[in-house]
């Protein structure tokens, strides 16, 4: 694979997207926010204060815990576990500790890291849960330890059973399955509980503004602020930033070519993080300006929707590049690509969520509220 030009092209393409988004974020931050905040802080007289518009109006509702807040905590915790795992794996790969010619090495490293990063998952889930005034941290810890791994393990088990049925040598033997089970229950689950315990013992994160007792009504939204539409738009740019690199990764997985340019991959991953964060913040700002304060889940789904495009691209790749005719092979391909997309959803969604979390706290802590 000696086609570095394509990778440089892909990185330049991604950087263009990032620059465009950064410009937009900077413009919103400086122009709009600076103007808004100085205007809000100048509104001394009551008559003017009653005619306020925009994001200041929803200050009493913006930190109201969302519906299904427990599930959000679980997903955010799992996402943190993923981000740390990917970062550490890439560090090792960039430094040359993980040889791409040894296929299993990368996979083993990722699995072991995933298991040990459970402590971060428990910690971040519990911190968020405590902020939502939750009391039963053990429930959230249990869900965090089981929700994502159980889904993955279930699909993996079914796919493995299909390969067993075909009498293929590619099936994972029973002993390895048992070892995976041990890693999950013996190391990951206890670590999630330890992390949750530590996270829940910490003082709760204080909201910058008080939440009202009664939720205010959300006004009629314009068509382009429809949740589904804005969520779909949010996924396009993060996917656009990584899809050329994605082509090489898919080729390396399914067409038996080696992928060894981890330096490029690391740059692209950093670009992905920046893009997800920026698009989520931009759309969150527009949403708050139109007085819709339900941003918790939407911020997660906005950047997470890039996973949908990833899966669609995998379908496209299947029909254009691969010559798979056996039904079992097709099922394997789609099963594994679904798992990859699901993981990508959790990863990108968490980045978007934390970006918006930081952003809303920043803007609401900088205005004076009587």
């Amino acid at each position: 694979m000696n086609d570095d030009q394509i990778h440089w092209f892909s990185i330049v393409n991604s950087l263009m997207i990032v620059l465009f988004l950064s410009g937009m974020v900077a413009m919103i931050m400086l122009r709009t926010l600076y103007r808004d905040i100085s205007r809000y802080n100048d509104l001394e007289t009551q008559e003017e204060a009653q005619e306020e518009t925009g994001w200041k109006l929803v200050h009493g509702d913006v930190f109201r815990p969302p519906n299904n807040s427990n599930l959000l905590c679980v997903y955010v915790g799992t996402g943190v576990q993923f981000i740390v795992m990917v970062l550490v794996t890439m560090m090792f790969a960039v430094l040359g500790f993980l040889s791409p010619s040894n296929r299993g090495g990368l996979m083993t490293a990722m699995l072991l890291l995933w298991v040990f990063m459970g402590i971060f998952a428990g910690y971040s889930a519990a911190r968020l849960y405590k902020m939502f005034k939750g009391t039963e941290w053990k429930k959230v810890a249990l869900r965090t330890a089981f929700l994502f791994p159980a889904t993955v393990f279930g699909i993996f088990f079914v796919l493995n059973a299909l390969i067993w049925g075909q009498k293929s040598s590619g099936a994972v033997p029973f002993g390895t399955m048992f070892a995976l089970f041990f890693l999950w229950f013996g190391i990951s689950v206890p670590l999630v509980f330890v992390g949750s315990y530590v996270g829940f013992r910490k003082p709760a994160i204080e909201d910058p503004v008080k939440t009202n007792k009664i939720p205010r009504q959300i006004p009629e939204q314009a068509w382009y602020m429809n949740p589904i539409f804005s969520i779909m738009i949010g996924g396009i740019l993060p996917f656009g930033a990584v899809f050329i690199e994605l082509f090489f990764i898919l080729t390396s997985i399914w067409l038996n070519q080696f992928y060894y340019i981890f330096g490029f991959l690391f740059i692209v991953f950093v670009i992905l993080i920046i893009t997800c964060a920026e698009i989520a913040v931009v759309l969150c700002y527009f949403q708050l300006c139109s007085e819709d304060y339900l941003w918790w889940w939407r911020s997660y789904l906005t950047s997470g929707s890039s996973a949908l495009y990833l899966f669609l691209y995998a379908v496209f790749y299947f029909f254009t590049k691969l010559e798979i005719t056996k039904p079992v092979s097709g099922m394997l391909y789609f099963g594994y690509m679904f798992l990859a997309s699901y993981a990508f959803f959790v990863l990108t969604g968490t980045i978007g969520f934390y970006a918006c979390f930081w952003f809303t706290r920043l803007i609401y802590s900088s205005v004076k509220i009587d």
Side-chain angles (χ1 to χ4, degrees):
M1 281 179 71
N2 49 358
D3 34 18
D4 284 356
Q5 281 138 341
I6 301 183
H7 289 277
W8 281 119
F9 169 72
S10 107
I11 283 176
V12 170
N13 156 45
S14 309
L15 280 173
M16 285 299 155
I17 295 180
V18 167
L19 281 175
F20 161 70
L21 271 174
S22 303
M24 213 161 149
V25 170
M27 212 175 73
I28 285 181
M29 285 292 198
L30 296 172
R31 215 190 99 233
T32 330
L33 280 175
Y34 186 72
R35 206 187 60 212
D36 288 357
I37 289 169
S38 56
R39 204 178 72 220
Y40 286 150
N41 288 341
D42 289 346
L43 288 180
E44 291 305 303
T45 59
Q46 276 295 266
E47 292 79 53
E48 281 178 324
Q50 279 161 3
E51 292 163 20
E52 283 175 13
T53 55
W55 51 268
K56 170 91 185 284
L57 273 177
V58 293
H59 69 81
D61 293 277
V62 81
F63 295 108
R64 184 182 302 286
N67 298 335
N68 299 335
S69 56
N70 295 12
L71 195 62
L72 184 66
C73 298
V74 169
Y75 267 111
V76 168
T78 309
V80 170
Q81 190 174 0
F82 246 104
I83 293 167
V84 180
M85 176 197 82
V86 173
L87 277 174
V88 177
T89 310
M90 278 194 194
M91 287 293 182
F92 279 138
V94 169
L95 294 173
F97 288 127
L98 298 170
S99 154
S101 55
N102 173 12
R103 274 293 167 84
L106 200 62
M107 203 59 217
T108 313
M110 288 185 84
L111 269 172
L112 284 173
L113 279 170
W114 161 263
V115 169
F116 284 108
M117 296 310 158
I119 194 159
F120 292 105
Y123 179 78
S124 35
R127 284 302 301 264
L128 198 61
Y129 182 64
K130 188 157 186 183
M131 199 190 96
F132 291 150
K133 312 276 189 289
T135 48
E136 304 172 330
W137 63 272
K138 288 181 186 133
K139 266 189 187 170
V140 166
L142 201 66
R143 278 191 185 176
T144 310
F146 283 97
L147 183 76
F148 185 83
T151 316
V152 174
F153 203 87
I155 295 177
F156 176 67
F157 191 80
V158 171
L159 293 177
N160 206 38
L162 289 174
I163 311 181
W164 266 336
Q166 294 287 318
K167 309 262 189 302
S168 157
S169 62
V172 176
F174 200 73
T176 316
M177 279 286 205
F178 188 74
L180 284 175
F181 244 99
F182 171 73
L183 281 177
W184 179 16
F185 284 101
I187 302 175
S188 183
V189 177
L191 279 180
V192 172
F193 268 93
V194 170
S196 295
Y197 178 72
V198 174
F200 200 74
R201 289 287 297 276
K202 284 269 171 92
I205 305 170
E206 291 293 322
D207 295 335
V209 285
K210 284 197 175 67
T211 304
N212 294 340
K213 292 273 189 293
I214 301 162
R216 64 178 280 135
Q217 223 173 351
I218 299 173
E220 191 74 26
Q221 298 292 317
W223 62 272
Y224 52 83
M225 288 310 293
N226 180 23
I228 295 171
F229 182 75
S230 70
I231 284 170
M232 283 306 169
I233 292 293
I236 293 174
L237 285 174
F239 173 73
V242 295
F243 89 99
I244 298 181
E245 212 57 31
L246 198 69
F247 171 78
F248 289 107
I249 295 172
L250 286 181
T251 309
S252 121
I253 296 175
W254 299 109
L255 294 178
N256 282 325
Q257 293 184 355
F258 286 133
Y259 186 91
Y260 53 82
I261 16 191
F262 289 110
F264 279 123
L265 189 63
F266 191 67
I267 299 173
V268 170
F269 184 65
V270 171
I271 290 176
L272 173 74
I273 290 182
I274 297 171
T275 321
C276 285
E278 289 181 344
I279 189 75
V281 164
V282 169
L283 289 171
C284 178
Y285 176 75
F286 289 151
Q287 182 189 347
L288 291 173
C289 280
S290 59
E291 297 175 33
D292 179 358
Y293 52 84
L294 303 171
W295 63 274
W296 298 99
W297 272 108
R298 178 128 36 128
S299 64
Y300 196 97
L301 295 171
T302 296
S303 47
S305 65
S306 49
L308 180 68
Y309 295 104
L310 183 129
F311 190 72
L312 293 174
Y313 180 71
V315 174
F316 167 77
Y317 186 85
F318 180 81
F319 288 114
T320 53
K321 292 281 185 291
L322 301 181
E323 290 156 5
I324 291 181
T325 46
K326 284 186 174 173
V328 171
S329 307
M331 283 166 84
L332 272 182
Y333 175 82
F334 283 113
Y336 282 130
M337 286 328 287
F338 173 75
L339 287 184
S341 306
Y342 185 34
F344 193 69
F345 164 74
V346 173
L347 175 90
T348 48
T350 304
I351 297 168
F353 172 81
Y354 271 119
C356 288
F357 184 63
W358 167 82
F359 172 74
T360 44
R361 295 179 67 82
L362 183 81
I363 63 174
Y364 284 101
S365 58
S366 55
V367 291
K368 285 191 307 207
I369 287 156
D370 310 326

